[in-house]
Amino acid sequence: MSDQIRIGVFVCDCGSNIAGYVDVKALAEYAKTLPNVVYVKENLYTCSESGINEIKAAIREQSLNRVVVASCTPRTHEPLFRGTCEEAGLNPYLFEMVNIRDQCSWVHMQERESGTNKAKDLIRMGVAKAALLEPQESIKSEMDPNALVMGGGISGMTAALALANRGYQVYLVEKQAQLGGLLLQLDTLGPSGVDAAAFAASQAELVRNHPRIRLMTSTQVKDISGYIGHFKVTTASDGKEEQFGVGVVIVATGAQILKPHGLFGYDGERVITQLELEARFKRGTFSAGNVVMIQCAGARIEERKYCSRICCMVALKNAIQIKETHPGTGVRVLYRDIQAYGTENEEMYRRARELGVIFINYDVNVPPKVHGEKVTVTHQLLGRELDLPADLVVLSTPLIAGEDNEAISKLLRVSLDENKFFLEGHVKLKPLDFATDGVYLCGNAHYPATVREAISQALGAASRASIPLAKGVMTVEPIVSTLVDEDACRGCGLCVALCPYGALEIVRTEKGRKVRVIPVACKGCGVCAATCYQHALSINSYTDRQIAEQISACLESSG
Amino acid sequence: MQYTTDARIIRIMCTGRVDPTMISDAFLKGADGVMVVGCHFGDCHYITGNYQGKIKVGIAARALDYVGLNPKRVFFGQCSSAEGERFVKMVTDFDKDIREIGPLGTGDRLPPPQLHEKIEVAHTALAKEKIRWVVGKFTEFTTKGNKYGERFTEHEMWRTLDTIVMDEVATYEIMRELNRGPVSVKTLSSRLKLPSAHVLKYVLALQRRGFAELAGIEGTSPLYRIARQQVDAA
Ligand SMILES: Cc1cc2nc3c(=O)[nH]c(=O)nc-3n(C[C@H](O)[C@H](O)[C@H](O)COP(=O)(O)OP(=O)(O)OC[C@H]3O[C@@H](n4cnc5c(N)ncnc54)[C@H](O)[C@@H]3O)c2cc1C
Ligand code: SF4
Ligand code: SF4
């Protein structure tokens, strides 16, 4: 590489996503005037194959040694462009991304001129930083060839079996004494009609007999430390602790049923939940002359805004079950919206109507009232109150986030959504991965799911988890701390105590006590560099100088 | 979701990366306001990085406030990547605050040139050991306690830091003056608007550390200057 810095700037239209609101031509012209910039290209879609090829060609033909792409977010596209650089023979860390979509076109839609000026500034800042970038080599480390699966419901069992069948050792930790989760409490499963407990038992049998699954029931995960490839897990069972290491973790801890205390006169006797109804089916103790089911009991309201997804299907299944086994029993379903998505659920809805189930729409502002042997509901079309006979009221209550979710989210450093369900890394790009590497999720832990969905997710999560396991070696981003001035370091340990990942240690060297970075453990948060009074540490690709240059570039005006 | 076009974002991996001097640096280069925005507590992608970030931003804000900057120009905010509207509101409110205060040097306790000089001093102090050591120990002292097992409240830690800021700012300001040529305690006292007794204390401390030396006598007052060699060596 020649000493001279040669920066190529690629400005993306993102179709009309950027070009519709920002003057991309002006940006490209402006970029040409910036120091060290030798080549500028506007692309319709920089991330398309032709855009990528243009970058590669320019790297070779223009001998670029730094690449700046001004387009969308590095969260989704940085890996792609880094890869492009690498394929063209340029170190991937000589790449800098400028986000003129999320930070300009999307948020300044009515301000083309000042939005464009801002984009110019951002590009100038990116170019200033790019000039100072240094090549980095990624860090490699071996993977522990095994997995921890938390939760022994249908999701956890499925994921554990999938990984074990692929040849990996699996620790399956279930806090209850029995495998099966929610399925143990259900009667039959819609839409297939199979016996829920029998199905769970057959899977549990496979799990118990699998040579590569270490089943740990009545066990809690007490602590998890480490990182992808080397998680250190501590479990506790009956006060006995055990420690083992795993390469990846799958969270399949399910959800819990909302107990509707105080809702619609819930008493567990005459007013029960769908789950309690299924228990009566199972025991053969169901009997009623008139059943009223109330949908969205405690769901889609102010304090719990979300739809629990499965309750409409469950109500249809159970209404059909009643009609098929007790044709004389009246069944009325009071609903706000029936969410019978997919062909099979729609078919169940049709079948329920055929069997004489009556569906009555209610308004959230005038909810049904349960009193004595009656339910009063305001009929939306008739516009008046109806009294419905009811010796049994069944509430379709939502699934709510698992009770351990907050504790688990801290243990694994993964996020929860606003309802305390686990939050995937990205809705579309990483639906089964957490943002934290090496941790995956499936089933009700993520969001209420049917068994079929839970199984698909579990197979998917197992498949995602097996990618790093199959590679055997993992590569860590080299955006980590580096001791750039060993002489300056006094080995005081101030930084060591603050590192959230235990990635620093003090070692004896010929020059005395000095800090040492453990690169595979370091996540590059920067706390150490921001703390050291000797300015001995720096973060690759986020050095003090690079940030200072960005600040300078930011505050000199684009003119 | 739309917001002012007057904000520029510098990406860092975690608010924990924020060195207090980055904030003073931005004001030295002419920023009218600095926001540091990261994850919520307990939800930090880097576990505890944001707690450190908050302390770093806190010390920068206090030191800059002490030297005359309007403290509203420094803002520490928290929002998750799913809270776009919260972010927009934060930027919009901050933008409004800054517009009310006006450009740097208006709405602050000093006019532009003097403010700039003072911020330079704060910037130096923020880069040095004294403040950074206590900032680095902040969490340990408030949670586990110091080596004698004494635990401090956050309030006590900030009070201690305020005192250190005062000492450090005075010390580096005096060093800057001594660097400009021999000067008496009395002159220093009037230039820095500090009581002569305080100035004398700082000058003698600098002399003990070998950073200042006697340069002569003017009338009855001793004149001091910087001890170049020692300062360069340190
Ligand atoms: C009333 C009702 C009727 C339903 N009917 C149907 C139907 O007809 N058809 C259908 O497809 N779906 C139905 N479902 C949905 C079905 O129950 C779920 O899809 C399925 O149970 C999801 O499985 P899971 O493994 O994700 O969660 P779960 O079954 O909840 O299993 C989670 C497991 O994790 C364990 N666990 C929790 N926390 C921890 C921890 N910290 N450490 C270790 N282990 C932990 C739990 O003990 C549990 O065993 C119904 C649900 C309800 C409520
Ligand atoms: S890098 Fe800095 S804080 Fe860490 S041990 Fe060395 S001198 Fe101390
Ligand atoms: S950058 Fe963060 S994770 Fe890495 S060594 Fe420093 S403090 Fe630890």
Side-chain angles (χ1 to χ4, degrees), chain A residues 74-75 78 103 106-109 111 114-115 118 121 125 413 415 435 490 492 494 498 500-501 523-527 529-533 535 539 542-544 547-548 550-552 554-555, chain B residues 1-5 7-14 16-22 25-26 29-31 42-43 45-49 52 56 81 127-129 132-133 135-137 139-140:
Chain A
R75 281 211 298 178
E78 193 174 65
Q103 293 178 20
W106 278 358
V107 292
H108 308 311
M109 291 188 159
E111 291 156 296
S114 51
K118 175 176 169 183
D121 287 0
M125 290 158 69
R413 302 184 291 271
S415 305
R490 294 192 197 157
C492 67
L494 189 65
L498 288 180
Y501 297 93
K523 289 277 182 186
C525 70
V527 166
T531 300
C532 177
Y533 52 92
H535 309 273
I539 309 299
Y542 292 89
T543 65
D544 284 349
I547 295 173
Q550 278 186 293
I551 298 175
S552 303
C554 166
L555 293 159
Chain B
M1 269 194 282
Q2 303 288 304
Y3 60 89
T4 172
T5 53
R8 304 285 177 269
I9 295 177
I10 293 178
R11 182 185 185 212
I12 45 175
M13 299 310 277
C14 173
R17 175 69 188 97
V18 175
D19 190 305
T21 58
M22 290 173 188
D25 185 34
K29 290 169 180 164
D43 201 22
H45 190 60
Y46 297 88
I47 317 178
T48 51
Q52 297 310 317
K56 306 276 172 27
S81 56
K128 298 291 184 181
E129 177 169 354
R132 292 173 83 96
W133 181 262
V135 166
K137 287 285 183 189
T139 316
E140 187 181 325

Side-chain angles (χ1 to χ4, degrees), chain A residues 149-157 173-176 178-183 186 188-191 219-221 252-257 274-276 278 310 313-314 317-318 397 399 403-404 408 442-445 448-454:
Chain A
V149 175
M150 294 175 74
I154 191 62
S155 308
M157 291 194 287
V173 174
E174 164 59 56
K175 71 171 181 180
Q176 303 292 342
Q178 245 191 313
L179 287 173
L182 262 181
L183 293 198
L186 304 184
T188 59
L189 290 176
T219 302
Q220 294 266 11
V221 173
T253 48
Q256 49 179 337
I257 293 277
Q274 292 285 0
L275 195 67
E276 287 159 341
E278 300 222 6
I310 60 164
M313 183 270 285
V314 172
K317 173 186 73 170
N318 290 341
T397 53
L399 285 165
E403 56 183 1
D404 299 338
I408 297 170
C442 56
N444 281 357
T450 64
V451 169
R452 174 163 53 185
E453 291 162 346

Side-chain angles (χ1 to χ4, degrees), chain A residues 10 28 31 104 145 187 192-193 204 251 274 329 377 381 403 411 471 543:
Chain A
F10 298 83
C104 296
D187 184 39
S192 58
V251 178
Q274 292 285 0
T329 301
V377 62
L381 294 177
E403 56 183 1
L411 275 184
K471 281 190 184 151
T543 65

Side-chain angles (χ1 to χ4, degrees), chain A residues 12-309:
Chain A
C12 182
D13 295 350
C14 196
S16 62
N17 240 318
I18 296 173
Y21 307 95
V22 169
D23 186 347
V24 180
K25 299 254 174 319
L27 293 185
E29 282 311 310
Y30 176 69
K32 289 182 187 158
T33 67
L34 293 170
N36 302 313
V37 172
V38 295
Y39 181 79
V40 176
K41 180 93 183 74
E42 178 190 340
N43 313 105
L44 185 56
Y45 291 101
T46 312
C47 63
S48 68
E49 203 177 323
S50 61
I52 296 289
N53 286 336
E54 281 173 343
I55 298 181
K56 287 188 195 162
I59 293 176
R60 296 199 192 99
E61 289 157 18
Q62 309 288 328
S63 316
L64 301 181
N65 53 24
R66 302 287 188 288
V67 169
V68 173
V69 170
S71 60
C72 52
T73 167
R75 281 211 298 178
T76 54
H77 283 62
E78 193 174 65
L80 173 74
F81 294 131
R82 283 207 201 286
T84 305
C85 292
E86 195 164 23
E87 283 165 29
L90 185 65
N91 184 288
Y93 293 89
L94 296 174
F95 167 78
E96 178 69 14
M97 197 156 174
V98 179
N99 188 346
I100 56 169
R101 188 192 65 185
D102 303 25
Q103 293 178 20
C104 296
S105 63
W106 278 358
V107 292
H108 308 311
M109 291 188 159
Q110 321 298 341
E111 291 156 296
R112 193 176 176 87
E113 194 182 330
S114 51
T116 302
N117 284 338
K118 175 176 169 183
K120 287 182 186 172
D121 287 0
L122 295 180
I123 292 174
R124 186 174 66 241
M125 290 158 69
V127 165
K129 181 174 176 186
L132 296 174
L133 287 174
E134 283 160 37
Q136 311 291 342
E137 293 309 323
S138 38
I139 299 151
K140 296 204 181 328
S141 139
E142 305 246 306
M143 290 279 300
D144 288 349
N146 47 15
L148 165 69
V149 175
M150 294 175 74
I154 191 62
S155 308
M157 291 194 287
T158 307
L161 284 167
L163 282 173
N165 286 337
R166 249 167 244 170
Y168 302 112
Q169 175 73 36
V170 180
Y171 295 87
L172 177 57
V173 174
E174 164 59 56
K175 71 171 181 180
Q176 303 292 342
Q178 245 191 313
L179 287 173
L182 262 181
L183 293 198
L184 296 177
Q185 302 176 54
L186 304 184
D187 184 39
T188 59
L189 290 176
S192 58
V194 302
D195 183 290
F199 175 57
S202 70
Q203 293 303 101
E205 190 62 21
L206 293 176
V207 166
R208 266 193 301 274
N209 293 331
H210 204 294
R212 276 184 296 275
I213 299 181
R214 165 85 193 281
L215 176 59
M216 305 165 90
T217 48
S218 306
T219 302
Q220 294 266 11
V221 173
K222 272 197 66 183
D223 190 41
I224 301 181
S225 59
Y227 40 89
I228 181 172
H230 306 281
F231 289 102
K232 212 162 85 197
V233 184
T234 310
T235 57
S237 178
D238 258 347
K240 265 209 344 261
E241 287 198 1
E242 192 179 327
Q243 270 205 0
F244 50 88
V246 294
V248 295
V249 178
I250 294 181
V251 178
T253 48
Q256 49 179 337
I257 293 277
L258 174 79
K259 277 276 182 188
H261 294 296
L263 277 180
F264 301 104
Y266 172 77
D267 59 6
E269 289 291 330
R270 279 198 350 87
V271 183
I272 62 175
T273 61
Q274 292 285 0
L275 195 67
E276 287 159 341
L277 175 65
E278 300 222 6
R280 289 186 190 187
F281 289 160
K282 264 170 91 92
R283 289 197 305 266
T285 59
F286 169 81
S287 93
N290 280 293
V291 177
V292 170
M293 294 185 178
I294 303 178
Q295 298 304 102
C296 299
R300 301 168 69 210
I301 53 173
E302 197 44 44
E303 62 165 312
R304 212 172 291 104
K305 292 207 176 81
Y306 64 95
C307 162
S308 174
R309 280 187 86 245

Side-chain angles (χ1 to χ4, degrees), chain A residues 339-358:
Chain A
Q339 314 267 29
Y341 58 89
T343 46
E344 284 141 340
N345 289 347
E346 192 61 31
E347 173 58 27
M348 277 165 61
Y349 178 65
R350 206 185 46 75
R351 172 108 183 104
R353 297 199 80 138
E354 263 171 26
L355 288 169
V357 176
I358 295 168

